[in-house]
Amino acid sequence: MSIDTINPDSAWAAFIARDRHSDGRFVGAVLTTGIYCKPSCPARHPKRENVVFYRDGAAAAAAGFRACLRCKPDEVGRDRVAVARAVTLIEAAEETLGLEHLAAMVGYAPHHFHRLFKRATGVTPAAYARGLKARAAAQALMKEASVTEAIYEAGYSAPSRFYEGVGKRLGMTPSIWKRGGAGVTIRWTIAATSLGPMLVAATDKGLCRVSFDEGEAALRARFPKAEIVPGGAVLADLAARVVASVESPDRDQDLPIDVQGTAFQEAIWQALRQIPIGETRSYAELATLAGNPRAVRAAGTACGANPVSIVIPCHRAQRSDGTMGGYAYGVDRKIALRDREGVK
């Protein structure tokens, strides 16, 4: 569905599915009651011939309709503005903002805003803030002369705070990160699939690279300081589960991953993993879920940077007009994966 025009059939399908991700994109007005609702409204559905669609509540109100008191469609825009404002505040803050303080700054009760923020971005406000520090720490560790200097440069009040939080999140100690991953063992194999040979690589924590048409050389280029070894029997079961995700993507394998990205990238990747099998999301919807509705192009870039294809299902992303969009391993593979999941 285009962001500028409303496709009545797609809009009606969103209402029937009570698609929360379509909230804020348009409203449905019921001719027989004079009320307009958001797509996820839990009220009983009217007959299709009695529903017309408008870009927003203001347009519906101008046509003589009033807002539904049950789903409160006009609050959707307010919610998204609040989340976007909170993201800006978190990114600008020198110290971590507590939930109560952050919620008060955007005009919401703490517990309600906590749910609202997580629903919109895929992470809690505290996790989003930790993601920002993780990114800063990773960048600082690559340029600072010492680990301690890098920790303070990233905004931590003491090294202990870094080791409690970001050290765990990065999946390796700061000194190892400083050395480009030296000391980390990555096991790999090339698995045969119906879509072509697939590289499967994993650390002890989970999958770090799943890609088509790549081999050991590409893995060593990506992880130059790690110990790269054949997977053997240790990787066999995990690799078989990845192959099963290719051959039968209609079944969720719940595979472990060990990847790092920017806070925004990781929010996009989390949003992708939350898309139900057989469904899609537009890059605009993913950007909104990641807390930055205007970062549509960046959402597409984050999909392209996905280090573990299939496991993070970036093939479920598409343009707002419903067209396919790109795919790092070829559009034909994207089509095949979507067909297997039952995407229309």
Side-chain angles (χ1 to χ4, degrees):
M1 186 187 306
S2 169
I3 60 174
D4 297 317
T5 62
I6 301 175
N7 181 311
D9 292 335
S10 297
W12 177 247
F15 266 83
I16 291 298
R18 291 189 169 90
D19 182 12
R20 185 181 297 276
H21 297 288
S22 293
D23 291 349
R25 300 183 64 194
F26 54 86
V27 297
V30 184
L31 299 173
T32 52
T33 63
I35 291 173
Y36 63 89
C37 302
K38 62 185 180 184
S40 68
C41 181
R44 182 179 178 182
H45 290 126
K47 293 182 179 179
R48 171 66 185 88
E49 59 267 25
N50 292 330
V51 182
V52 293
F53 299 101
Y54 293 92
R55 173 53 48 202
D56 51 33
F65 296 91
R66 64 185 186 280
C68 173
L69 295 178
R70 186 171 183 181
C71 70
K72 300 179 180 179
D74 293 337
E75 291 188 4
V76 176
R78 174 175 174 262
D79 290 349
R80 291 186 174 177
V81 169
V83 170
R85 173 61 177 157
V87 167
T88 300
L89 291 170
I90 292 171
E91 292 178 346
E94 294 185 1
E95 300 291 336
T96 300
L97 297 174
L99 176 61
E100 291 189 2
H101 182 45
L102 181 65
M105 293 175 75
V106 296
Y108 282 78
H111 293 299
H112 176 62
F113 186 69
H114 185 273
R115 292 193 300 270
L116 178 68
F117 191 96
K118 186 173 182 179
R119 186 175 66 198
T121 66
V123 296
T124 65
Y128 189 90
R130 288 195 297 270
L132 292 176
K133 282 193 175 182
R135 176 187 177 184
Q139 292 174 339
L141 285 165
M142 298 300 292
K143 67 180 182 180
E144 294 296 332
S146 74
V147 170
T148 300
E149 290 177 3
I151 289 172
Y152 285 113
E153 173 69 18
Y156 289 89
S157 57
S160 60
R161 301 299 297 171
F162 177 87
Y163 282 92
E164 289 172 4
V166 176
K168 180 179 179 181
R169 185 171 179 274
L170 291 176
M172 57 186 74
T173 65
S175 59
I176 290 176
W177 181 265
K178 175 71 176 177
R179 299 196 303 272
V184 174
T185 298
I186 297 177
R187 295 177 173 84
W188 70 279
T189 188
I190 300 296
T193 78
S194 60
L195 298 182
M198 183 174 63
L199 172 68
V200 178
T203 68
D204 291 337
K205 296 179 180 296
L207 295 159
C208 61
R209 187 66 177 168
V210 175
S211 58
F212 291 100
D213 304 328
E214 287 187 342
E216 181 182 3
L219 189 64
R220 290 188 180 280
R222 181 174 287 269
F223 302 102
K225 300 296 183 179
E227 181 184 7
I228 310 294
V229 300
V234 177
L235 189 60
D237 179 67
L238 186 57
R241 291 167 62 193
V242 176
V243 172
S245 294
V246 176
E247 307 303 340
S248 300
D250 56 325
R251 291 181 295 176
D252 189 356
Q253 300 290 331
D254 191 26
L255 296 163
I257 61 175
D258 184 12
V259 299
Q260 289 88 36
T262 67
F264 182 78
Q265 284 176 330
E266 292 189 8
I268 292 292
W269 297 342
Q270 289 192 48
L272 286 166
R273 297 197 87 185
Q274 292 169 3
I275 302 174
I277 293 170
E279 296 185 16
T280 61
R281 297 288 180 267
S282 70
Y283 299 117
E285 289 172 320
L286 292 171
T288 299
L289 290 170
N292 192 343
R294 293 179 293 181
V296 178
R297 186 180 297 275
T301 301
C303 289
N306 172 18
V308 285
S309 65
I310 311 298
V311 185
I312 295 176
C314 55
H315 57 275
R316 296 175 190 166
Q318 62 186 32
R319 298 190 182 100
S320 294
D321 61 5
T323 55
M324 188 74 60
Y327 190 58
Y329 307 107
V331 173
D332 287 345
R333 283 189 174 118
K334 185 172 186 177
I335 293 173
L337 290 166
R338 288 156 67 102
D339 285 347
R340 294 175 185 186
E341 292 187 1
V343 174
K344 304 298 182 183

